[in-house]
């Protein structure tokens, strides 16, 4: 045990030393690689620390029903840890009041692994995430997710996935528990404002539970994180929360229309938000927080203003670019 502890401490010391060296290099050179590597290591460290905290918080809250506050508490811890270590944050510009809708199915656009931080910012109380079954086996993160009430979905088995959603619908009605889902089902790695095709699981769930859909949209942040370009910068990424879409009087026959309505609304907001002044300058270190020094939140139209201009992230934006990327990605399987 002493040998194992010694090796762990040595590894952590080397990890921190390497991180500090990369941070120093990123400040001394304009080359993007040191900054990319530093923020990558810092993000993994933040994830490990907060997942460990989440496991402990979940165990502690198990004796205090309802125990589903662990995901909210861990999300906020990750939000602040990442802001401190990497200088990256998501900023809700409009619609924050819609996050208090309960119960609801919250849906968001899925760009990269950085969306864990997106969740850290917008995640409401009394809410659980859905995740692919394989994440349950990941040390620390999987333990935390299992203990805190994550709805795991086996994408390879439609029947199992539908049973998981049926159980979630029952809990939503009985416990007023909300669920967050990325309806694209996978990361888009978008370089412009675009969405992959939506899977219909979230919309079946909302109709089955009789709860509204609440769309949450983050602007395209390719200017902050470009994995293929090895670019990882500090930045302030804008977010808007759209008004709830009611489902109380809908039936399974309406799923197709509900999916299309939600995706159209999110794509319109995504294009306009990405092309807005705050969207275009998300990676600008001089961009000041909207809520400092005095809190002020924009209306949805104010947040999405100036959306007709050409956009963020290296000059590629808009519906045409999104359609081109969509064709390259193709269509995924539906749940």
């Amino acid at each position: 045990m002493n040998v194992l502890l010694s090796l762990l401490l040595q590894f952590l010391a080397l990890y921190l030393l390497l991180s500090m060296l990369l941070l120093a290099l990123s400040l001394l050179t304009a080359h993007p690689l040191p900054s990319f590597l530093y923020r990558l290591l810092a993000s993994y460290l933040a994830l490990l620390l907060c997942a460990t905290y989440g496991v402990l918080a979940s165990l502690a809250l198990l004796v205090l029903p309802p125990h589903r506050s662990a995901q909210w508490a861990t999300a906020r811890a990750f939000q602040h840890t990442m802001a401190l270590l990497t200088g990256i944050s998501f900023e809700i510009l409009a619609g924050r009041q819609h996050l208090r809708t309960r119960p609801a199915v919250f849906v968001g656009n899925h760009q990269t692994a950085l969306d864990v931080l997106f969740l850290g910012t917008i995640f409401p109380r009394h809410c659980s995430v859905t995740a692919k079954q394989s994440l349950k086996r990941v040390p620390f993160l999987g333990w935390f997710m299992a203990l805190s009430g994550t709805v795991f979905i086996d994408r390879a088995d439609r029947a199992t996935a539908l049973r998981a959603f049926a159980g979630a619908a029952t809990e939503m009605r009985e416990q007023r528990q909300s669920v967050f889902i990325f309806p694209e089902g996978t990361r888009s790695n978008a370089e412009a404002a675009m969405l992959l095709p939506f899977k219909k699981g979230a919309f079946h769930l909302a109709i089955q539970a009789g709860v509204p859909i609440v769309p949450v949209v983050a602007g395209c942040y390719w200017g902050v994180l470009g994995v293929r370009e090895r670019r990882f910068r500090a930045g302030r990424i804008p977010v808007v929360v759209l008004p709830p879409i009611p489902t109380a009087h809908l039936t399974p026959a309406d799923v197709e229309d509900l999916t299309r309505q939600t995706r159209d609304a999110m794509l319109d907001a995504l294009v306009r938000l990405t092309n807005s002044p705050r969207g275009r300058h998300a990676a600008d270190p001089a961009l000041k927080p909207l809520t400092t020094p005095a809190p002020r939140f924009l209306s949805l139209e104010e947040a999405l203003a100036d959306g007709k201009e050409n956009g963020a992230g290296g000059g590629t934006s808009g519906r045409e670019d999104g359609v081109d990327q969509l064709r390259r990605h193709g269509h995924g399987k539906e749940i």
Side-chain angles (χ1 to χ4, degrees), residues 102-165:
R102 178 188 178 200
V105 173
F106 293 89
V107 294
N109 55 316
H110 197 8
Q111 300 181 58
T112 72
L114 192 59
D115 287 335
V116 177
L117 179 55
F118 172 40
L119 284 175
T121 302
I122 62 91
F123 205 75
R125 290 178 183 267
H126 310 290
C127 187
S128 299
V129 294
T130 61
K132 56 186 178 182
Q133 187 74 23
S134 60
L135 285 178
K136 198 172 185 177
R137 298 189 293 271
V138 177
F140 295 98
L141 179 62
W143 304 339
F144 156 62
M145 296 175 81
L147 284 168
S148 60
T150 297
V151 179
F152 290 101
I153 305 297
D154 185 354
R155 296 177 181 174
D157 188 334
R158 178 182 173 84
T160 301
L162 291 177
R163 283 197 298 273
F165 276 126

Side-chain angles (χ1 to χ4, degrees), residues 191-326:
E191 299 177 9
M194 55 84 70
L195 295 172
L196 297 176
F198 278 10
K199 301 178 187 296
K200 297 186 179 69
F203 307 96
H204 278 291
L205 175 60
I207 290 176
Q208 189 174 356
V211 302
I213 294 279
V214 180
V216 188
V217 181
C220 177
Y221 52 74
W222 183 70
V224 173
L225 174 60
V227 177
R228 285 187 291 270
E229 295 75 19
R230 299 294 184 266
R231 177 181 60 250
F232 204 175
R233 303 169 178 161
R236 189 176 298 278
I237 300 157
V239 175
V240 293
V241 186
L242 304 184
I245 301 172
T247 70
H249 302 293
L250 301 183
T251 69
D254 299 307
V255 165
E256 189 77 38
D257 289 340
L258 178 62
T259 304
R260 182 171 56 252
Q261 175 189 356
T262 305
R263 187 179 183 279
D264 287 348
M266 291 178 67
L267 181 58
D268 178 68
L270 174 59
V271 170
R272 295 169 64 191
L273 183 59
T274 299
N275 295 337
S276 71
R278 297 191 78 84
R280 293 197 306 272
H281 300 288
D284 185 350
L287 187 66
K288 302 298 182 185
L290 186 70
T291 55
T292 302
R296 175 182 179 261
F297 299 103
L298 304 177
S299 69
L300 183 60
E301 284 306 311
E302 285 178 314
L304 300 179
D306 202 18
K308 293 183 179 180
E309 298 181 19
N310 291 329
T316 60
S317 64
R319 291 184 186 270
E320 293 77 15
D321 300 298
V323 169
D324 289 341
Q325 287 198 40
L326 185 57

Side-chain angles (χ1 to χ4, degrees), residues 151-191:
V151 179
F152 290 101
I153 305 297
D154 185 354
R155 296 177 181 174
D157 188 334
R158 178 182 173 84
T160 301
L162 291 177
R163 283 197 298 273
F165 276 126
T170 300
E171 185 167 349
M172 293 176 78
R173 289 191 296 266
E174 295 178 354
Q175 304 293 333
R176 299 187 65 221
Q177 181 76 13
S178 297
V179 172
F180 187 97
I181 298 175
F182 289 115
E184 292 166 280
T186 191
R187 304 166 193 164
S188 66
N189 292 305
E191 299 177 9

